[in-house]
Amino acid sequence: MSVPLSVLDLAPISAGSDARQALRNTIDLARNAERWGYHRYWIAEHHFVAVASSAPTTLIALIAAATESIRVGTAAVLLGHHTSAAVVEAFGTVDALHPGRLDLGLGRSGHRGDQLRSAGVPPVPNPDRRTEVRDGVVIPPPFIPGQLLDTSRIAAGLEALHLPGAQPLPYSEQVQQIRDLLTGHYTGSDGVHLRAVPGEGADVQLWLFGSSGGESAQLAGELGLPFAANYHVSPGTIVETVQAYRAAFRPSDRYPRPYVVVSADVVVAEDDDTARHLASTYPHWVYSIRSGAGAAEYLDPATAPPLSDHQLRLVGDRVATQFVGSPATVAARLDALREFTGADELVITSVTHRHEDRLTSHRLLAREWGLNHVRAA
C-alpha cells in the first residue's frame, strides 16, 4: 500500500484483567509495532474509565524507553485538563532523553462545556441524513449524543480533574502558548519572558486532532500544522472535517502542503468469521461509552450477553464503520478510506478481549499493508 500506517492505543482493560496488565500489554504491542513497521504509536487520554491511558505523557515516556525508532505521541493531550507549561515541560523532558521521536498531539476536549454537551463528539447538522457508501467508504448519519447521554459521570470527572474555580483557556490561545513555549517566545501577561526548561527547543512535531470541521480543523490549517481526523470516533463527519482543514490550510516551513492522518477502528484475523467473532463485543464497549458510563472493561465474546435492539441502534454508526475481517478484507477497506479522504497516513486502533488477538490483528495487517516497504513523509 502507498501510505504509512500507525497505531492508536487506549491501553484497554479486558474483563478479568487490570490496569497493570493493560500497561504491560501496551509496552508489548509498541515493541512489536516497531518491529512490524508501524510509523507512529499514539496514546489517547481518557480518565475514570476502564482504560489505562489516563497519563499519556508518562506512558509515552515508558514506550519511548522500551523502543528504539518508532515515533511516539499523544492522540491527544486534552488541553482543558493541563496548563501549557506543564505540557511543554513534560514533553521537553521526554524529548531530552529520546530526541526527535515525539508527536505532541493536542485536542480541544477537556473543556467543561464541550464534554457536558457531547462527551467529545461535537454536535453537527443534518441528523436525518441516511447512511451512504461513497467509493467503498461507509458514511453514516452524524451521531448527536446530547439527547442520549447521562452526563453526570462526565461532570464528576471534570470536577476531579480541575482545580476549584479554574477556567480553561480558549483552545486557540492555549495552542499558541504551547507554540511560544516551544520556540522560546513566551511572555506572560505582565511582560516577563519565561523559558520552559526543559521544553524550549524540543524537537517535537505538533499535531491537532478533531472530529468535525470546526475550530480544531480550521486552526490546524491556518497554522500549517498536520491534522488527525477522527473517522473512528465520528465517521459521519469525516468529509466535512478533512475539507475544512484543507480549505483553511496555509503553508508553513515544515509543512508546505496539508498533511492528514485519518483514523480507523479495525479487527483483523486469519479469516472474516474469526474476526467478526473477536469484534462481536465492540458494540458493548461503544455502548458503555455512549450511555455516559464511560468505557467499560472489554468483554469476552464467548460469554457476553447480546445487546438489545435499542442499544444496537445507539452504536450502529460505529459498528458499521469498524473494519473487520481477514487481512485482505480490512486492507481493501482501509485503502478505500485512504483514497476517499486523500489521507497521507492512516492510524488504526484495534481492541480485542485477548492481548494475543490484538497482537495478531496488528501483525497480519502490517504484513498485508507491506509496512516494511512504506516510508513516511
Side-chain angles (χ1 to χ4, degrees):
M1 302 297 178
S2 59
V3 302
L5 205 59
S6 296
V7 176
L8 169 61
D9 186 12
L10 285 68
I13 300 173
S14 293
S17 188
D18 55 28
R20 292 177 180 176
Q21 187 59 52
L23 292 170
R24 293 187 183 98
N25 292 345
T26 282
I27 298 297
D28 185 46
L29 178 57
R31 286 173 171 153
N32 280 290
E34 178 177 75
R35 182 163 61 90
W36 294 328
Y38 287 91
H39 182 49
R40 311 175 198 273
Y41 199 98
W42 283 345
I43 297 295
E45 178 179 348
H46 294 281
H47 298 275
F48 306 115
V49 292
V51 299
S53 60
S54 56
T57 308
T58 301
L59 187 49
I60 67 169
L62 297 171
I63 294 169
T67 55
E68 296 180 358
S69 60
I70 192 170
R71 295 196 64 85
V72 183
T74 51
V77 171
L78 303 181
L79 288 187
H81 303 331
H82 310 274
T83 66
S84 303
V87 172
V88 172
E89 289 171 347
F91 268 77
T93 300
V94 182
D95 176 73
L97 299 178
H98 306 282
R101 292 178 57 195
L102 300 188
D103 296 330
L104 172 48
L106 305 175
R108 72 186 296 270
S109 294
H111 294 68
R112 182 178 180 87
D114 295 339
Q115 287 203 353
L116 289 181
R117 181 177 64 250
S118 62
V121 182
V124 292
N126 302 323
D128 297 326
R129 194 174 75 192
R130 295 181 179 275
T131 296
E132 303 176 58
V133 179
R134 303 188 200 173
D135 299 328
V137 177
V138 178
I139 307 295
F143 176 68
I144 309 296
Q147 300 176 359
L148 300 168
L149 291 178
D150 173 6
T151 60
S152 59
R153 187 178 183 88
I154 299 169
L158 291 171
E159 183 178 358
L161 289 165
H162 296 166
L163 292 172
Q167 292 295 322
L169 291 173
Y171 178 66
S172 60
E173 183 178 338
Q174 192 165 7
V175 170
Q176 188 58 51
Q177 278 191 356
I178 289 171
R179 298 179 80 211
D180 289 344
L181 286 163
L182 287 170
T183 58
H185 294 99
Y186 179 80
T187 302
S189 58
D190 55 1
V192 176
H193 177 65
L194 297 176
R195 301 182 63 186
V197 182
E200 183 179 319
D203 185 13
V204 302
Q205 285 188 17
L206 195 62
W207 288 73
L208 300 190
F209 286 69
S211 300
S212 76
E215 185 177 13
S216 295
Q218 294 172 28
L219 184 62
E222 291 167 2
L223 298 178
L225 295 174
F227 179 67
N230 296 324
Y231 178 74
H232 83 284
V233 171
S234 184
T237 60
I238 189 63
V239 174
E240 297 88 345
T241 302
V242 173
Q243 286 178 344
Y245 167 64
R246 290 202 174 100
F249 189 81
R250 299 172 185 170
S252 61
D253 291 341
R254 193 162 193 172
Y255 292 92
R257 65 179 186 84
Y259 193 92
V260 181
V261 170
V262 176
S263 64
D265 214 312
V266 313
V267 174
V268 185
E270 291 286 357
D271 58 76
D272 290 349
D273 287 342
T274 301
R276 282 192 288 267
H277 172 71
L278 296 176
S280 61
T281 51
Y282 177 74
H284 301 69
W285 193 62
V286 176
Y287 179 77
S288 69
I289 298 168
R290 287 190 167 174
S291 68
E297 293 180 346
Y298 204 86
L299 298 179
D300 185 346
T303 58
L307 293 179
S308 68
D309 290 343
H310 169 73
Q311 291 171 325
L312 287 171
R313 283 194 298 272
L314 186 62
V315 300
D317 61 321
R318 292 283 297 273
V319 174
T321 53
Q322 188 186 30
F323 297 8
V324 178
S326 69
T329 297
V330 173
R333 288 191 64 189
L334 284 173
D335 199 45
L337 180 65
R338 175 202 61 79
E339 179 70 21
F340 179 69
T341 59
D344 299 284
E345 186 175 333
L346 297 174
V347 58
I348 58 104
T349 181
S350 185
V351 184
T352 59
H353 175 71
R354 297 197 317 156
H355 179 57
E356 307 95 285
D357 295 323
R358 195 157 72 117
L359 288 176
T360 298
S361 181
H362 287 82
R363 176 178 56 81
L364 292 176
L365 183 56
R367 185 176 64 189
E368 183 72 21
W369 200 258
L371 286 188
N372 290 326
H373 305 290
V374 176
R375 293 292 178 264

